[in-house]
Amino acid sequence: MDLSVLATLNAEREARRATVLVTDIAAGTQRLVKQQDITADPLSELLEKQLRMGKSGMVEAAGQAWFLTVQAPHPRVVVTGAVHISQAMAPMAKTLDLDLVIIDPRTAFATPERFPEVTLLPEWPEEVIPRIGLDGYTAFVALTHDPKIDDPGLDAALRSNCFYIGALGSRKTHAKRVERLTAAGFDEEAIARIHAPIGLDIGAVSPAEIALSILAEIVNTLRGPRRKPA
Amino acid sequence: MISTDTDILRAAEEWSRSGRQVAVATVVETWGSAPRPVGSHLVIDADGNFVGSVSGGCVEGAVVTEAADVIADGKARMLEFGVADETAWKVGLSCGGRIKVYVEKVS
């Protein structure tokens, strides 16, 4: 492996951009394909398929064996609301190897004591989200119930290609949210990206159970169901 | 927590930049109950220091030994470990899995 290839690979990963390292096993030669160059690559179909699955693997094309090292950015969950549910979510996200970022301008809520070992940003979403960016490997979750905090976050998420968007609230709360987002110019299709009511329907009651149902829905969206119906 | 693949490849780059001779081992195929998924890395230097894992401890020793040869002659190698192989049994992949590991030098 060329040191320059390794360096580019690390730099792209740090910038949260996907890459695929294509190794010709027989010849020992390699090339690094950046995300934006995949469609132009001779192996584009195979590269896209592996990247979609987020999996490295051996592939065969034109009688040749290639190993594809897939470097997909680390999945991340960005939450508005340093609330009880996100507190419960923190240790679960860590176990699931999901990076958790919590945004809440209310400094009484967003304290390191309540959120140890979490990226905690006590700022307004409209200020902080442009800085951290939302991408195709990010899930956005709105948990405050407060439109002043949740709406700017949802606005940014709907303008991004986040793989998951969810918002806490009753059907009534969500209906009002839909009205506000419609007034802000989002169409039905865009608003339908929001999972609301949020979380898999496991009958969650406690904050921890709701956190579990939300994370389960995120994993489900990220990986997709595999079992075929009987 | 356990080091991620990000940390491992960053270590490979840092070690290489600081003048150490480095090899990268990658799990390229698995069969049966292999403990680490395809794409897992182990990074080894000429002194046998390593980070990462390709098998959860079972065959790392053997990979580190082979990596010394890869570092010495610069030629990439494909290693295969499995229960059918007596050596592999000795090095401990007794869980019933088989893995193929590609070892290459960083240059």
Side-chain angles (χ1 to χ4, degrees):
Chain A
M1 188 189 287
D2 220 60
L3 177 57
S4 66
V5 165
L6 183 59
T8 310
L9 197 150
N10 283 334
E12 290 296 299
R13 184 135 175 172
E14 220 139 292
R16 293 186 63 80
R17 286 190 296 262
T19 59
V20 183
L21 179 65
V22 183
T23 305
D24 179 338
I25 293 288
T29 54
Q30 280 172 329
R31 67 173 192 278
L32 186 68
V33 185
K34 292 186 189 178
Q35 192 162 18
Q36 73 262 28
D37 302 326
I38 287 178
T39 44
D41 195 88
L43 298 177
S44 62
E45 252 175 63
L46 289 168
L47 301 195
E48 266 159 19
K49 185 176 159 231
Q50 292 296 129
L51 184 57
R52 220 169 24 245
M53 297 190 296
K55 270 190 180 159
S56 300
M58 293 289 302
V59 296
E60 262 181 53
Q64 254 181 304
W66 311 87
F67 183 69
L68 306 181
T69 308
V70 174
Q71 302 269 2
H74 205 83
R76 180 174 64 170
V77 181
V78 174
V79 177
T80 47
V83 295
H84 209 154
I85 295 170
S86 45
Q87 272 184 296
M89 218 184 244
M92 295 182 194
K94 193 178 175 190
T95 308
L96 290 167
D97 207 15
L98 295 165
D99 292 337
L100 186 63
V101 178
I102 294 175
I103 300 167
D104 198 323
R106 301 168 299 178
T107 47
F109 286 81
T111 65
E113 290 74 30
R114 282 163 51 85
F115 292 91
E117 297 177 51
V118 167
T119 307
L120 190 61
L121 304 167
E123 297 168 72
W124 288 94
E126 58 267 47
E127 286 161 12
V128 70
I129 289 176
R131 197 173 76 231
I132 61 168
L134 302 176
D135 55 38
Y137 299 90
T138 301
F140 177 79
V141 177
L143 293 182
T144 68
H145 287 299
D146 184 341
K148 284 201 302 299
I149 302 168
D150 282 348
D151 282 10
L154 286 168
D155 189 285
L158 288 173
R159 288 174 203 281
S160 78
N161 63 338
C162 277
F163 75 87
Y164 173 93
I165 304 172
L168 186 72
S170 65
R171 286 177 200 281
K172 211 171 129 193
T173 307
H174 187 62
K176 281 186 196 153
R177 181 153 47 212
V178 169
E179 276 173 33
R180 291 193 305 273
L181 290 168
T182 306
F186 292 104
D187 62 21
E188 211 175 314
E189 195 189 340
I191 294 169
R193 287 176 65 200
I194 302 172
H195 291 256
I198 197 171
L200 293 187
D201 186 9
I202 56 170
V205 176
S206 70
E209 288 169 2
I210 296 167
L212 176 68
S213 81
I214 295 170
L215 288 170
E217 190 168 57
I218 289 172
V219 172
N220 183 58
T221 310
L222 184 66
R223 304 288 185 210
R226 298 248 173 86
R227 278 182 223 148
K228 295 191 174 65
Chain B
M1 243 182 116
I2 51 165
S3 50
T4 63
D5 285 342
T6 321
D7 302 327
I8 295 159
L9 292 181
R10 198 170 296 137
E13 185 185 344
E14 279 164 15
W15 288 8
S16 184
R17 285 195 192 288
S18 66
R20 290 154 79 173
Q21 303 263 34
V22 177
V24 175
T26 307
V27 177
V28 295
E29 280 188 286
T30 64
W31 298 264
S33 63
R36 295 283 289 135
V38 169
S40 303
H41 296 295
L42 180 71
V43 165
I44 311 104
D45 76 0
D47 297 326
N49 297 303
F50 64 90
V51 288
S53 77
V54 287
S55 74
C58 309
V59 301
E60 270 72 7
V63 175
V64 168
T65 308
E66 290 284 338
D69 295 339
V70 171
I71 288 171
D73 67 15
K75 286 200 189 87
R77 283 167 176 72
M78 187 71 82
L79 312 177
E80 199 171 339
F81 301 98
V83 284
D85 183 328
E86 202 192 330
T87 318
W89 177 263
K90 275 188 209 147
V91 296
L93 204 72
S94 55
C95 42
R98 275 204 295 148
I99 60 168
K100 257 189 187 177
V101 179
Y102 186 71
V103 190
E104 58 188 316
K105 188 181 178 179
V106 177
S107 51

